[in-house]
Amino acid sequence: MELDEYLTQDATGLAGLVASSDVTPTELLSLARQRCGEVNPTLNAVVADLGQVADERAADASLRGPFAGVPFLVKDLGQEYAGFPTSNGCRALADDVAERHALVTERFLDAGLVIFGKTNTPEFGAKGVTESEYWGPARNPWNTGHTPGGSSGGSGAAVAAGIVPAAGANDGGGSIRIPAACNGLVGLKTSRGLGPYGPQTGEVMFGMVTQGVLSRTVRDTAALLDTIIGPDPRAGYAGARHEVSFADQFGERPGTLRIGYSASSAINANPDPEAIAAVEGAAKLLTELGHQVEEVSPPYDDEALARDFLTIWFAQLYGQVADVKMRLGSPDSHFEADTLASAELGRATGMLPLLRALQGVNDYIHSLAGFHQTYDYFLTPTLAKPPLPVLSTRTPDRLQKAARVVRKLRAGKLLAASGVMDEIISDNLGWVPYTQLANLTGRPAISVPLHWTDAGLPLGVQFVGRLGADGDLLRLAAQLEEAQPWVQRYPAPATSP
């Protein structure tokens, strides 16, 4: 197989070629590394190579599974690979070697995937852009001056550029769907409880984080999710099980659906015209396909939701920083200033606001459930703006210095009183105000690449479904993929090997 053919195949296609002995896993791994060598120096998508471990796995004649021999990457956050560090994009964890695989990594391996590297992520996955001080910024293969999104931005850039046909990702506030939208990919955040977590940790952010993948095709997303979803006897409860595999479901086309759409946001009162064009274009396509589509008011207060989301996020981040400090004795200098300031806000906020935020989650669940009594899906742009320029959200040096002082003085209450929460909402969530809803409510949501801007950048649209409607979302996505194919579109680096 030549590289140009490798670039045109999805993971399902490559697995079929391996199964028919038309190509070997060793040949595919060589092509993946060749492609990585060509584009990664510019994109900075892959930040660690598993070296001989991957070579030996590719050469293993006993390799089995539905994706046996297909090259794959896992995210350097929450997808630990035994014997290698999982940095979470943080200098303090640069040498924190995993003693065992994460459960999701075990299941990727059980599927026969050849994991050969780890992808770039922001520190603790705390931003919608992938620009950690430790690894440096990842770049978007459609335009390297722009972000591939976050926090699974390295995975998104690697898939879009053709290093691998799919890669591991996870989503705590949009971290699968934002990179999907930025890179022209498919990204499904599954219903709460479906995907595996642990054993390093239980459910992160009270179950708001889910494991998954980024891919170029709906069939890959469906089949790869089938490999990782399943019962876990070590889990705190049994998640809902789907009796028919996603791969089998997605081949069926949906009946007539009722879909409410909106680009409105209290956080961003003026979404970019491209975002509005994306959702209106999707609404038009859905209507042409026979679905009932109408513009609606958002079924929740997204400004209140953003505050509750950040309250929970900061509390989680405070716990993570405290844990690393306790385990490894890491000084403040090994963490980014933004992380320290956010963790200090989490510490100073206290328990009562956190409990109120969690109670707010119940309100959003009920509001969305009421919406879904009338509509099958809530359609929004995935992003309120096209992918941002790299480093455009970087905190100025003077404010970073101030943040470190606030941390040292434990002056989080003063920081909260300064109105910084409003600035954080505006700066970090203003361009992605639509994605946190699915995380807080535990509902499934998918981003599909239906729109490209006049400047040639992807900007996806998002569908939020009822709890457990993951397979239904994949069926709709497959219908849209068939009606308006995107798989033939490649960014410039992927068309010039």
Side-chain angles (χ1 to χ4, degrees), residues 136-446:
R139 294 178 179 274
N140 193 317
W142 293 90
N143 184 324
T144 56
H146 293 257
T147 182
S151 64
S152 306
S155 291
V159 174
I163 297 173
V164 286
N170 37 48
D171 192 317
S175 292
I176 288 175
R177 290 157 290 149
I178 295 168
C182 288
N183 292 283
L185 305 174
V186 179
L188 172 65
K189 185 210 82 72
T190 56
S191 294
R192 184 172 301 166
L194 276 187
Y197 239 94
Q200 288 81 1
T201 180
E203 290 189 310
V204 179
M205 282 185 66
F206 306 94
M208 295 176 196
V209 179
T210 63
Q211 298 280 12
V213 297
L214 284 159
S215 76
R216 297 188 64 242
T217 64
V218 179
R219 73 173 185 173
D220 271 3
T221 290
L224 283 163
L225 287 174
D226 279 335
T227 70
I228 65 172
I229 288 173
D232 173 16
R234 296 163 292 187
Y237 57 88
R241 298 183 61 181
H242 59 295
E243 300 301 325
V244 180
S245 74
F246 288 150
D248 289 338
Q249 289 184 61
F250 106 94
E252 305 171 6
R253 292 300 174 261
T256 300
L257 300 169
R258 192 155 186 212
I259 299 169
Y261 77 92
S262 176
S264 297
S265 166
I267 301 171
N268 188 332
N270 297 295
D272 191 279
E274 293 281 10
I276 295 172
V279 77
E280 290 181 345
K284 181 175 183 292
L285 176 60
L286 289 161
T287 300
E288 292 170 353
L289 291 170
H291 300 300
Q292 299 174 16
V293 186
E294 60 183 301
E295 189 169 9
V296 298
S297 298
Y300 66 106
D301 180 344
D302 68 335
E303 186 171 11
L305 183 142
R307 289 180 179 278
D308 287 340
F309 172 78
L310 288 175
T311 297
I312 296 166
W313 186 276
F314 293 158
Q316 172 74 27
L317 195 57
Y318 169 59
Q320 289 179 298
V321 171
D323 175 69
V324 174
K325 283 177 166 287
M326 181 181 66
R327 284 195 302 113
L328 304 177
S330 305
D332 280 357
S333 60
H334 284 188
F335 300 90
E336 294 179 16
D338 288 357
T339 298
L340 294 174
S342 297
E344 173 57 18
L345 276 170
R347 183 201 67 80
T349 297
M351 183 62 72
L352 184 57
L354 174 61
L355 293 174
R356 285 175 175 162
L358 290 170
Q359 178 59 38
V361 169
N362 186 58
D363 296 335
Y364 307 130
I365 289 172
H366 282 267
S367 294
L368 194 53
F371 175 86
H372 281 135
Q373 288 180 350
T374 302
Y375 300 97
D376 295 292
Y377 300 116
F378 180 43
L379 165 64
T380 71
T382 312
L383 316 171
K385 299 178 181 180
L388 301 179
V390 171
L391 298 178
S392 61
T393 61
R394 181 181 180 275
T395 303
D397 290 343
R398 60 182 179 80
L399 294 181
Q400 290 194 40
K401 290 178 181 178
R404 291 188 181 278
V405 171
V406 167
R407 164 73 180 186
K408 187 174 182 179
L409 297 177
R410 295 170 69 86
K413 290 187 181 298
L414 181 63
L415 187 64
S418 71
V420 70
M421 182 75 86
D422 294 329
E423 293 183 32
I424 292 172
I425 291 172
S426 175
D427 293 345
N428 290 287
L429 301 184
W431 76 291
V432 287
Y434 310 108
T435 55
Q436 297 81 38
L437 171 67
N439 297 91
L440 267 73
T441 61
R443 269 51 187 169
I446 194 168

